[in-house]
Amino acid sequence: MVRDRRDLGIAEAAGLVGTEVLARLRVDETGLTAGDAAARLAVYGPNAVVSHRARALPVLWHQVRSPLLGLLLAAALASAFLGEGADAIIIGVIVALSVGLGFVNEFRAERAAQALHSQIRHRTIAIRDGRPEPVDVTVLVPGDLVELRLGDVVPADIRLLEVTGLECDESVLTGEPVPVEKSVPPVAVGGALADLSCAALMGTVVHGGQGRGVVVATGGRTAFGRIAAGLSTGQTETEFQAGLRRFSMLLVYVAGALTTSIFVINVVLDKPLLDALLFSLAIAVGITPQLLPAVVSTSLAAGSRRMRRRKVLVKRLVCIEDLGDVSVLFTDKTGTLTQGRISFMRAVPTGGSGDDPLRWGLLCTEADVVDGQAVGGNPLDLALWASPAAAAYRIGLDRYRRLATLPFDHDRRLVSVLAADGAGHRVLVTKGAPEAVLARCANVPNGARDVLAAEFAAGNRVVAVATRPAGDVSTLTAEAERDLRLSGLLVFLDPPKPDAAQALQRLAGLGIAAKIVTGDNATVAVKVCQDLGLPVTGALTGADIDRLDDAALAAAIPATAVFARVSPEHKARLVRLQRSAVGGVAFLGDGVNDALALHAADVGISVDSATDVAKDAADVILLEKDLDVLADGVVEGRRIFANTIKYVLMGTSSNFGNMFSAAGASLFLPFLPMLPSQILLNNLLYDISQLAIPTDNVDEEQLRRPSHWDIRFIRRFMLYFGPISSVFDFATFAILLWVFHAGPELFHAGWFVESLATQTLVIFAIRTRCVPFLRSQPSLPLTLTAFGVVTAGALLPGSPLGPTLGFQPLPGILFPVLAGMIVCYLALIETGKRLFYGAPHRPPKAAAVPARRHQRRRAAYFSIGHQPPGR
């Protein structure tokens, strides 16, 4: 196929009748063949607007964009021009190694994110070779016939050919929150996007009804694609990233004040200007946690691999830490507490002899029926059509012709079908939530409510079916659902999961309160919870929620375990109020009615089999809808956060103390306490030792509670433990100067070894609140790396590189002295740790996650692993 010189755009197609559009796109009502689709895909390219490919240059820029590094390199170049070439080369090599180390680890994490994203698939129903079949949204091409149902994200710019109550939420394009009603007749050419009532636009969401249309434009040629092309590639900041930013700003202020003071004082004391500048900048680099992004990225990459093995996918790696902050989980019942394999049990006639609710229930469906099987329907319809009882009706139903369908929506909680038999007699069949169906019946047979109550009490799911003659119905609307006659009840079984009780206990052990939000009947939900041992202290229905104001509902949420017969707005309101009270709120859902709550939660969680709009709104995708899998993700998030905090606390204790000591010593020593290149080398070796922190073990106590950033705690830690490190530094200065009468080279070597050992080995005290090694074992990689770096640092002054770096070999008697001081330092840290953690401290409430940028997140729905056309 050769691409047209002028492609048909959606604005032009909206001005043509449907048959003209089909003719222009060279397709008929049977859709494209597989061969035609493949040929067009080769011409038009994939239906994508962004790429999730890991790119090396942005990662490298992230490593080198630090202004401190730029100033340091500039100063090194200046020193080279002034004859200090050796120092300049040493500084350049150390900076290059530091940047390279960070780049390698962060790029690995980006590649891990790419692999995760490539596993997430979004599908739509397209007509290929005359049959509806699910296809990946990225392979849609102009000319494809596509079916749209409730909850779908519209996969391309589509000219509608058939609609039944179709409404689309176009807020991602227009900003208007009110859904737009769609129709088929063409509109005037030249109208705005909001005026294209006969078109469904890429990226919008089917809010109600259903429809069918032909794809006109894909990828960057769509209206949404043009908007996505102008979006920045940056991601929305998560709470974890916000904490990292706040911590980094704290150190920037500290480093800025310290660096400026050191430089000014050294200049006032008539020390060489260039030396003072290099020394000040080196101190700033030493305080800055330069490899913190690499430590975080390494943790995330390792965590994502472990979570992938546990069948958990995250759209963004940083969402793993946010999982660790969860303290309240709102979740639906089906497939989470129950097995999710719904099976049809029986039909219970209530309309008298000869009534057959199963026949009417099979006829009343939104699904397409192909070869006697339902395609694309809801789980209850699929279970009904797959049941052995349905086999006897498949031939008899052929004599009925469906004239119109009024799709299910969450306000009515019903679906209705207008059908005619071979003689032309019309019948309206309505099926849905029993309370809604019974409210529309003219008379409810005696005993029907008692039968319904008994089924609910047994924990069964029940759908009611009602009918009426429909000779007066020409257009099927909600107003026609009246004066019905109850035909009977359809009873389904969805038994509890065998391991759900254990999973609920595990979540409770992690400090997570599980709350059930369901569209099912309250009695059924309470019965399932009781069977699983979940304490049900209270239950509220949607009607109860409507009667409560925000203050009263917020007060009721902690004591309520079950929320039943709730609408999408109810779910979002519950999540919003809970977030305002405690933060750390997760929502697990898989339906279109869950999208609002998924967006409102701190962490939105869905499953791979969920509706498009639910997966689009979620941050985390579970390949299995299992609470135990979710608990694994929470533990992994807390593990990564705990290990990240270890690095942070190290940087704000001994590392900060050592840099502060160097700054103070420079004021009274006739020489610099450590050369700029030595400070940078010390910092590089220290950072290398900490790259094994992501492998470290985490105490069970730290995993049993939600984790989030506490800048006040970090500041207290810095002001408490930093001076302890400085005390031992000055003791080392005194011994070197007054006992060993050290000159500059010996002083540099002695303090280099002592400072590297203290700031590296302190990890074993800081990593746990218990006694290290005895009650809390570090990981083997961390142990080997830390002691290996300390050993290398101790041997460095006596090595051939020592003189080049400005060191003098240490006398043998100095080693046991330094070792004794290091042991005393660690013992004092251990004592101080007990006093520090014994003091009362009130942790802050988890901060709210910033509002998500829905356009960027929706663009990720149409993402491929390489650069899309036109970008």
Side-chain angles (χ1 to χ4, degrees), residues 285-426:
V285 172
I287 294 176
T288 304
Q290 189 175 342
L291 283 192
L292 180 58
V295 169
V296 172
S297 298
T298 303
S299 298
L300 290 172
S304 68
R305 288 192 293 270
R306 286 190 291 267
M307 293 182 73
R308 185 166 45 189
R309 288 194 293 269
R310 291 176 170 86
K311 300 184 178 180
V312 180
L313 301 180
V314 287
K315 289 184 177 180
R316 297 173 56 200
L317 290 179
V318 289
C319 293
I320 297 175
E321 290 101 342
D322 287 337
L323 268 178
D325 194 26
V326 170
S327 60
V328 177
L329 171 68
F330 289 96
T331 177
D332 61 355
K333 173 177 63 69
T334 304
T336 307
L337 303 183
T338 64
Q339 294 182 15
R341 294 193 296 270
I342 301 173
S343 58
F344 174 67
M345 295 175 62
R346 59 183 173 271
V348 181
T350 59
S353 60
D355 218 338
D356 194 346
L358 179 54
R359 176 184 60 175
W360 299 123
L362 289 167
L363 181 62
C364 185
T365 179
E366 294 180 70
D368 293 317
V369 180
V370 179
D371 297 332
Q373 294 294 329
V375 177
N378 64 62
L380 292 174
D381 276 345
L382 296 177
L384 189 63
W385 275 92
S387 67
Y393 292 87
R394 288 170 184 161
I395 297 177
L397 288 176
D398 290 343
R399 69 189 185 92
Y400 287 95
R401 181 166 53 92
R402 279 194 288 178
L403 305 176
T405 302
L406 187 59
F408 178 90
D409 65 55
H410 300 288
D411 295 323
R412 294 164 38 252
R413 291 180 290 145
L414 301 170
V415 58
S416 291
V417 164
L418 179 63
D421 61 16
H425 299 129
R426 294 188 174 193

Side-chain angles (χ1 to χ4, degrees), residues 673 678 736 744-754 793 797 806-810 814 818:
Q678 294 167 351
L736 289 172
E745 290 78 12
L746 181 59
F747 187 95
H748 293 160
W751 190 47
F752 180 90
V753 172
E754 185 268 347
F807 293 136
Q808 178 182 324
L810 298 178
L814 184 56
L818 292 177

Side-chain angles (χ1 to χ4, degrees), residues 665-707:
S666 69
L667 303 181
F668 64 83
L669 286 175
F671 51 84
L672 292 177
M674 202 181 291
L675 298 178
S677 58
Q678 294 167 351
I679 292 176
L680 294 177
L681 179 60
N682 183 294
N683 189 55
L684 177 64
L685 291 173
Y686 158 77
D687 278 335
I688 289 175
S689 73
Q690 306 317 307
L691 282 177
I693 283 181
T695 70
D696 193 25
N697 304 317
V698 176
D699 296 343
E700 284 297 321
E701 178 190 357
Q702 292 177 274
L703 300 178
R704 287 198 295 266
R705 60 181 184 272
S707 54

